[in-house]
Amino acid sequence: MPGDPFVVGLLTHSPLRPLITPGCPESMEWKEWRFLLERDGYAAVMEELERRLLRGGTELTDFHRDRLAVWQNEAEQVDEQGVSLDEWIRRMEDLTRREDPAAGIVRIMTIHKSKGLGFDIVILPQIGRDTPFADGRHLTHFIKKNGEGGVEGIVLAPSRHVYTNIPQFRQLYGEWRARQQFDGFCKLYVALTRAKRATYVILPYREDKGEETADSMWKVVRSSIRFLNRGTEDILLESGASCLYSRGLEGWYAEFPEIIHKRAEESALKWPKQKPLARERISPSGLSEEASPLRGEKHAGAGKAAALGSAVHAVFERITRWDDENKPEWALHPATEAERIVAECMEIPSIRELFTPPETARIMKEQRIEAIDGNNWISGIIDRLILDDGAAVIVDFKTDHADTPEQLRERHANQLNAYARIVSRITGIPLERITRTIVSTCLKETVPIQ
């Protein structure tokens, strides 16, 4: 077993668990692995690892097999070179996997998902929309550590007024900000180092104010090129876009074979004579009441009410299926206001019914969606989505105050109807078979939306 208990913990929660669990037929002592390595080499270790995983019934997906093949190939190479174990570890930590999809395929993924991968070309189209590295809206708790780095305690974050004025909390807040900024810079580093040939960073607008503090990705990029005078020539004149900075070999694509150039010219899209419609990416809570089909979301509370709303959503998210005869401990003995509210809601038959779907139903919680609805690019989250037998149920939890169900319909009907249109397009389920329901924690009832 490795000497680091944290590493042991990681391994026991991975597909490698059978290999390090004492008493398991597939397990092997750490010194035996070392002996196999010294006797037969790195490739033999990888072969034995895969053999034991399969023998233990571990389900290897195509992704797992692909990554094992990469490691096997690297192991065979280092066997020929004769490197030490430390050098092998460093080599594998620095290894990036080059994705090689079929020609013409564009891969869309988050920065986090791209970690460890490599591509010929990378385009970062949304880097100008990111939030600050240390966004206070994501602050939930502080971690207090001792001089040796061990955790002494965890403190729920108080209000901003408290943690910015009390010295002890101010210090914890400073440490939290430093960690968030470090993580943000690491994420930006990953984004900017995935390309083999070219990286294009697209910023949606020019901004000269408020850039003194490089506290987000786009501000870091802009502040880095502010005093450089290279690459200011305009490009794509029809769109008004300009190049703020460029470096490297401009004609890097000239090395491609002639057939690639010809194929690119044949499939190239012509710039439209009229400027295309620019859809702004918006969330339901960010739309204006006048222009938005989801305008009811502006009534969501702020401050403590918003915090309570988030906590209530988190408690609802714990529930996949409700068993009234075997209630969870938090429902029997609520420890927080959010747990008390949800426990009371689950006593209402119409609400409880939404959490007892047929066994054949597919249940999705906090389902993120990105879709075009009319002239809006909707970026939102469906609290609970149930798919079963060619029908769907969209459930949205609302904690805002209301005196009547009609008030909630007026505020939120457009939001749920937009979600329904998107779900219909994605799943092919007709709109008339998609039920939209609000669960109101204020009224303690369900509010159907037509």
Side-chain angles (χ1 to χ4, degrees):
M1 293 285 284
D4 189 336
F6 179 73
V7 173
V8 174
L10 287 177
L11 291 175
T12 56
H13 288 81
S14 76
L16 299 177
R17 180 176 181 174
L19 277 63
I20 65 168
T21 303
C24 183
E26 285 70 45
S27 67
M28 189 161 72
E29 291 290 335
W30 193 248
K31 61 183 179 181
E32 295 181 74
W33 286 106
R34 288 297 298 266
F35 178 72
L36 177 62
L37 172 64
E38 294 168 1
R39 185 188 65 189
D40 298 330
Y42 297 97
V45 169
M46 294 305 304
E47 290 173 1
E48 182 65 20
L49 185 147
E50 183 172 2
R51 185 160 47 246
R52 287 175 177 263
L53 286 174
L54 293 173
R55 193 171 66 197
T58 300
E59 183 179 354
L60 297 179
T61 64
D62 291 341
F63 175 84
H64 292 140
R65 294 180 184 278
D66 177 69
R67 290 304 185 261
L68 282 171
V70 172
W71 278 64
Q72 180 69 32
N73 180 63
E74 291 295 321
E76 292 171 357
Q77 293 184 36
V78 299
D79 277 341
E80 296 177 0
Q81 299 168 8
V83 303
S84 68
L85 179 58
D86 288 339
E87 290 172 326
W88 158 254
I89 293 173
R90 282 196 296 271
R91 176 168 178 157
M92 297 314 296
E93 286 178 342
D94 295 337
L95 177 68
T96 59
R97 174 75 166 100
R98 182 180 180 274
E99 291 292 296
D100 190 22
I105 297 298
V106 177
R107 297 287 302 275
I108 301 175
M109 64 179 63
T110 63
I111 295 174
H112 179 75
K113 289 288 187 181
S114 72
K115 189 175 181 180
L117 303 179
F119 305 89
D120 285 331
I121 304 170
V122 171
I123 301 175
L124 303 173
Q126 284 290 321
I127 203 170
R129 301 285 186 183
D130 66 310
T131 56
F133 295 143
D135 188 347
R137 292 174 296 178
H138 301 153
L139 174 58
T140 57
H141 62 276
F142 294 121
I143 299 177
K144 182 173 175 56
K145 297 185 177 181
N146 56 31
E148 298 178 353
V151 176
E152 285 189 348
I154 299 176
V155 183
L156 293 178
S159 67
R160 179 178 178 82
H161 177 76
V162 173
Y163 66 68
T164 55
N165 288 283
I166 296 179
Q168 293 88 338
F169 279 112
R170 191 161 58 239
Q171 179 182 351
L172 293 174
Y173 177 61
E175 294 171 355
W176 175 82
R177 280 185 58 86
R179 286 194 300 271
Q180 296 298 309
Q181 289 170 341
F182 177 78
D183 291 344
F185 275 102
C186 290
K187 185 177 178 181
L188 178 59
Y189 171 81
V190 169
L192 296 176
T193 56
R194 297 306 92 200
K196 301 287 186 179
R197 300 175 183 272
T199 299
Y200 296 96
V201 182
I202 300 174
L203 301 179
Y205 51 81
R206 290 181 178 270
E207 182 62 63
D208 297 321
K209 297 179 181 179
E211 295 184 19
E212 290 76 12
T213 303
D215 60 355
S216 66
M217 288 191 187
W218 73 272
K219 287 186 179 181
V220 170
V221 172
R222 284 192 181 276
S223 64
S224 299
I225 63 175
R226 184 180 301 138
F227 302 107
L228 299 174
N229 296 319
R230 300 180 56 182
T232 56
E233 70 279 5
D234 285 342
I235 59 173
L236 295 176
L237 297 179
E238 299 91 337
S239 70
S242 61
C243 176
L244 299 180
Y245 176 74
S246 65
R247 182 179 180 182
L249 183 63
E250 290 186 9
W252 59 267
Y253 42 81
E255 64 187 72
F256 289 128
E258 183 63 28
I259 188 172
I260 299 295
H261 286 277
K262 185 176 181 180
R263 188 186 305 158
E265 292 174 0
E266 291 174 351
S267 60
L269 297 175
K270 294 184 178 180
W271 192 266
K273 295 181 180 180
Q274 190 171 7
K275 203 170 182 179
L277 174 65
R279 293 187 174 97
E280 184 179 3
R281 187 180 185 214
I282 48 181
S283 64
S285 59
L287 296 167
S288 66
E289 290 192 17
E290 293 77 18
S292 166
L294 313 178
R295 55 182 176 270
E297 281 294 287
K298 287 204 69 175
H299 291 270
K304 291 183 178 180
L308 178 61
S310 298
V312 167
H313 275 71
V315 177
F316 271 123
E317 190 180 355
R318 298 180 198 171
I319 309 171
T320 301
R321 296 179 185 275
W322 184 260
D323 185 352
D324 210 36
E325 296 181 359
N326 187 24
K327 297 179 181 178
E329 181 64 23
W330 62 261
L332 297 173
H333 306 286
T336 65
E337 178 69 5
E339 291 179 346
R340 182 191 63 77
I341 290 173
V342 175
E344 291 177 356
C345 286
M346 297 309 294
E347 296 297 320
I348 310 301
S350 61
I351 296 178
R352 191 166 58 242
E353 183 181 354
L354 296 171
F355 293 86
T356 56
E359 290 296 328
T360 56
R362 181 183 177 189
I363 302 170
M364 287 168 278
K365 298 177 288 185
E366 297 293 307
Q367 178 61 50
R368 177 167 289 281
I369 58 171
E370 299 277 349
I372 301 299
D373 184 56
N375 288 334
N376 292 315
W377 175 1
I378 303 298
S379 176
I381 296 176
I382 298 177
D383 294 338
R384 186 176 176 89
L385 177 61
I386 305 168
L387 303 177
D388 184 52
D389 194 25
V393 178
I394 296 173
V395 183
D396 206 62
F397 309 123
K398 296 301 182 187
T399 58
D400 49 333
H401 176 78
D403 295 318
T404 65
E406 193 55 39
Q407 288 181 346
L408 291 173
R409 289 192 183 94
E410 292 177 0
R411 296 175 193 170
H412 306 298
N414 289 322
Q415 175 201 0
L416 270 74
N417 287 334
Y419 283 163
R421 290 192 294 271
I422 293 170
V423 169
S424 177
R425 289 203 300 271
I426 293 173
T427 64
I429 298 174
L431 272 175
E432 58 269 19
R433 290 184 57 79
I434 299 179
T435 303
R436 289 139 269 180
T437 303
I438 291 174
V439 171
S440 172
T441 61
C442 174
L443 300 177
K444 297 293 189 297
E445 64 177 280
T446 57
V447 181
I449 301 296
Q450 301 301 324

